[in-house]
């Protein structure tokens, strides 16, 4: 067997027999410290899988002999915090928000907690800073242009029941007709010019004059004679510079032709009572609450 060894001429060390482009691999033994470290990691790994949750099963994982769980630890800590805040949470849940003083601990607790509720549940649509996303029709919650009202009572109702969803019978509801089925392209274009004029933008005066006829005939019932909007119907104001989807000619044409139908889920079944009131307080104090 010794005669079959391939000895490297330069180092005098036998090789593994592997060769790449004339380069041979020497058969040097691994350092003892490296081997013992490797064996130690193997032992540690086996011990860890026995002591802690490790191997995935069909519906769960092995629990380990120590029964430790990071999920359980987090749940325990959350329960501890909830227990410490139980009294003030109950006060907030039972409070009349319209009479809750800003210096009341329940109010301060609500605003702070409401910020967390908003970030976890609402920021995906309204943005992290509540400025909304106009292109998608998610309203800005920092100004006074509230479609359904910005009082504490109005905000709480909207959060609790949502808008145009099919899960809550008390959801706020309104529906804009698809005027592409009612008006001709020319009539829609004239109406667009009138809305542009109403909102103080550049427009075709002659087309706007004719568009006023179609607006009075088709739109005033919801948006008001002067485009001031009607909150009870969720119909937005059209005579200012605040737009839900955009107020340029192209966007207005699309809105009138195909309509809009934004939906907000009802958070009543998903959030606790104190969380609903907390996020209401948070939204109201952002700057746009009335």
């Amino acid at each position: 067997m010794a005669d079959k060894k391939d000895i490297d001429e330069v180092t005098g060390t036998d090789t593994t027999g592997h060769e790449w482009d004339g380069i041979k691999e020497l058969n040097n033994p691994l350092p003892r410290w490296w081997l013992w470290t490797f064996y130690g990691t193997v032992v540690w790994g086996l011990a860890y899988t026995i002591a802690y949750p490790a191997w995935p099963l069909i519906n769960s994982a092995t629990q380990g002999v120590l029964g430790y769980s990071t999920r359980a630890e987090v749940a325990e800590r959350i329960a501890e915090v909830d227990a410490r805040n139980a009294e003030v949470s109950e006060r907030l849940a039972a409070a009349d928000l319209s009479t809750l003083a800003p210096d009341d601990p329940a109010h301060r607790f609500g605003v702070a907690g409401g910020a967390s509720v908003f970030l976890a549940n609402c920021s995906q649509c309204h943005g992290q800073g509540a400025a909304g996303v106009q292109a998608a029709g998610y309203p800005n919650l920092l100004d006074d242009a509230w479609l359904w009202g910005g009082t504490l009572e109005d905000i709480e109702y909207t959060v609790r029941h949502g808008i145009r969803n099919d899960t809550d019978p008390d959801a706020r509801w309104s529906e804009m007709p698809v005027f592409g089925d009612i008006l001709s392209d020319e009539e829609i274009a004239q109406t667009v010019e009138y809305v542009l004029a109403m909102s103080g933008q550049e427009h075709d005066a002659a087309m706007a004059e004719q568009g006023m006829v179609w607006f009075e005939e088709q739109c005033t019932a919801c948006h008001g004679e002067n485009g001031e909007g009607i909150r009870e119907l969720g119909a937005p104001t059209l005579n200012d510079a605040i737009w839900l989807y955009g107020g340029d000619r192209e966007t207005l044409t699309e809105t009138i032709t195909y309509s809009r139908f934004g939906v907000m889920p009802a958070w009543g079944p998903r959030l606790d009572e104190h969380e609903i009131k907390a996020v209401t307080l948070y939204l109201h104090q952002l700057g746009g609450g009335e």
Side-chain angles (χ1 to χ4, degrees):
M1 294 296 292
D3 295 338
K4 295 183 179 180
K5 287 186 177 180
D6 184 10
I7 305 300
D8 179 57
E9 296 179 359
V10 177
T11 64
T13 305
D14 61 323
T15 72
T16 62
H18 302 155
E19 183 177 342
W20 295 273
D21 297 331
I23 301 174
K24 296 181 178 181
E25 180 182 5
L26 301 181
N27 190 21
N28 286 320
L30 291 168
R32 289 294 179 181
W33 67 265
W34 192 96
L35 285 174
W36 286 113
T37 301
F38 174 72
Y39 296 150
T41 60
V42 172
V43 173
W44 171 264
L46 292 174
Y48 189 94
T49 59
I50 295 172
Y52 294 96
W55 299 104
L57 304 176
I58 296 177
N59 297 319
S60 61
T62 56
Q63 299 301 306
V65 296
L66 297 182
Y68 176 78
S69 169
T70 53
R71 289 179 178 270
E73 183 178 16
V74 171
E76 183 179 347
R77 293 181 179 180
I78 292 175
E80 291 175 358
V81 173
D82 288 342
R84 290 198 300 267
N85 294 330
E87 182 179 352
V88 69
S89 294
E90 293 173 0
R91 284 185 57 197
L92 178 60
D96 180 352
L97 297 184
S98 62
T99 60
L100 189 63
D103 60 348
D104 191 301
H107 189 284
R108 296 196 299 269
F109 172 79
V111 172
S116 299
V117 174
F118 180 87
L119 289 175
N121 300 282
C122 315
S123 61
Q124 293 83 352
C125 292
H126 293 284
Q128 188 172 3
V133 181
Q134 187 180 80
Y138 301 130
N140 184 348
L141 305 178
L142 303 176
D143 57 28
D144 286 331
W146 292 87
L147 286 173
W148 302 91
T151 65
L152 285 166
E153 182 181 1
D154 291 331
I155 296 173
E156 181 182 349
Y157 187 96
T158 300
V159 171
R160 188 182 301 277
H161 300 291
I163 299 171
R164 302 186 192 92
N165 60 68
D166 56 5
T167 59
D168 191 319
D170 294 320
R172 297 190 184 277
W173 192 275
S174 65
E175 187 169 358
M176 177 180 176
V178 178
F179 284 103
D181 298 335
I182 301 173
L183 301 176
S184 66
D185 291 345
E186 181 181 7
E187 292 168 342
I188 289 175
Q190 292 169 344
T191 305
V192 168
E193 294 303 317
Y194 179 69
V195 175
L196 289 171
M198 182 185 299
S199 58
Q201 302 184 68
E202 293 185 5
H203 61 281
D204 184 306
M207 292 182 66
E209 184 176 357
Q210 183 58 45
M212 179 175 64
V213 175
W214 308 122
F215 185 89
E216 291 177 348
E217 181 179 303
Q218 302 288 345
C219 311
T220 55
C222 293
H223 292 285
E225 295 182 2
N226 300 310
E228 68 275 13
I230 301 176
R231 282 185 172 178
E232 289 78 5
L233 302 176
T237 300
L238 302 178
N239 58 10
D240 58 18
I242 300 175
W243 299 94
L244 187 56
Y245 290 90
D248 59 275
R249 183 175 282 104
E250 181 181 359
T251 304
L252 288 173
T253 300
E254 180 180 355
T255 298
I256 295 174
T257 302
Y258 301 106
S259 178
R260 304 287 186 178
F261 194 79
V263 176
M264 173 182 169
W267 291 102
R270 311 181 188 200
L271 300 177
D272 294 335
E273 184 67 19
H274 79 273
E275 290 177 321
I276 292 175
K277 293 191 175 182
V279 76
T280 297
L281 290 173
Y282 172 72
L283 292 174
H284 187 265
Q285 59 83 46
L286 283 178
E290 299 172 335

